[in-house]
Amino acid sequence: MTLREPEIIELSTPSGLMRTMVLRPAADGRFPGLLFHSEIFQLTAPICRTAAALAGHGFIVALPEIYHEYLPAGTVLGYDQAGSDTGNRLKIEKPVAAYDEDNRAVLDYLKSHASCTGRLGSFGPCMGGHLTYRAALQPDVAAAACFYPTDLHKRSLGAGMNDDSLARAAEITGELMLVFGRQDPHVPAEGRALIYQTLTAAGVSFTWHEFNAAHAFLRDEGLRYDAELARQALGLTVDFFRRCLI
């Protein structure tokens, strides 16, 4: 499907207005909604291209700026040391409750959108994969695709670096899809094993994919990008959301 021009909106949250980009098909009709979480760098060009690809398969995709309380609206951090330093600092400055409140604001917006069916999913890579997992704790999220979710196994997201994400696994009522690169030092084998064992013990419905790939292999910029594996993984993602949301 072709897309409409991107729309920029501001959503109200307890910690202020949150700039959010909305992408949706140009065709008339109603479509499932996807909450799309970025990496620590916010709405970079690779993130927006991936979101557009998903929207083009028949979804309304909303991308919030995850650090809206800390950075001027429209800020995009660079894929460099300075950008990494800022993004990683803010990742553990922001309270986990504020991430959850942001999730709720986007989900409520999507659910009320005139072109949304009311069926909701979530997607995200890296830190966004962890935030996508937390979105799945919301009862109206039927499907969440988490790409190499960082800090999930370490329980170190947010202020205090002591999140309860894995501890709340039994609260997930939708289905998860988890995607990892075996050569990703941010989610090593022992971390992946802990996530798998926790989800299994909690009775969560999930599918699991591991590729011989590095961290951020989905991002179409930089030396870690693997075009073929990214194509396969996005295809699995589209199939997953179609099965769960349509």
Side-chain angles (χ1 to χ4, degrees):
M1 294 181 178
T2 58
L3 303 181
R4 299 172 187 264
E5 285 292 323
E7 182 181 3
I8 302 297
I9 62 172
E10 291 187 329
L11 299 177
S12 294
T13 77
S15 53
L17 293 177
M18 178 170 61
R19 187 178 184 271
T20 301
M21 177 184 292
V22 180
L23 301 169
R24 60 188 178 106
D28 293 330
R30 300 175 70 214
F31 308 94
L34 295 181
L35 163 54
F36 191 120
H37 295 98
S38 71
E39 311 155 301
I40 60 171
F41 306 99
Q42 299 212 111
L43 305 191
T44 61
I47 285 292
C48 293
R49 285 192 289 269
T50 302
L54 289 176
H57 285 285
F59 301 95
I60 302 174
V61 182
L63 301 88
E65 293 184 342
I66 57 175
Y67 296 142
H68 61 93
E69 307 98 326
Y70 302 94
L71 300 173
T75 298
V76 177
L77 301 176
Y79 289 128
D80 53 22
Q81 192 60 54
S84 295
D85 290 346
T86 299
N88 282 315
R89 173 176 57 81
L90 296 177
K91 177 177 69 173
I92 57 173
E93 249 183 67
K94 182 167 177 169
V96 171
Y99 290 120
D100 293 342
E101 289 162 352
D102 290 353
N103 281 348
R104 192 65 256 167
V106 179
L107 293 169
D108 287 344
Y109 165 78
L110 287 169
K111 186 180 288 188
S112 66
H113 197 290
S115 295
C116 184
T117 62
R119 296 283 290 168
L120 301 176
S122 187
F123 175 93
C126 192
M127 175 193 175
H130 193 151
L131 296 180
T132 287
Y133 176 97
R134 289 200 68 86
L137 298 172
Q138 301 288 336
D140 48 357
V141 172
C146 310
F147 274 64
Y148 33 88
T150 55
D151 303 308
L152 185 57
H153 67 288
K154 296 192 297 182
R155 304 183 177 95
S156 58
L157 176 69
M161 299 179 68
N162 188 31
D163 70 74
D164 60 355
S165 300
L166 275 185
R168 294 175 61 188
E171 297 177 31
I172 296 173
T173 57
E175 184 171 338
L176 298 182
M177 179 178 120
L178 297 105
V179 178
F180 298 95
R182 289 196 181 94
Q183 287 75 50
D184 181 353
H186 298 287
V187 194
E190 59 271 21
R192 301 196 301 273
L194 175 62
I195 296 169
Y196 188 98
Q197 292 161 6
T198 301
L199 296 178
T200 300
V204 177
S205 178
F206 69 95
T207 56
W208 187 275
H209 304 281
E210 291 192 12
F211 293 94
N212 288 312
H215 186 73
F217 75 86
L218 185 68
R219 183 200 301 158
D220 64 352
E221 183 174 317
L223 298 179
R224 290 175 290 180
Y225 174 52
D226 190 310
E228 177 56 25
L229 295 184
R231 182 193 67 79
Q232 293 179 29
L234 280 179
L236 290 168
T237 302
V238 171
D239 290 345
F240 169 68
F241 283 138
R242 283 177 172 165
R243 176 171 59 80
C244 294
L245 301 179
I246 296 176

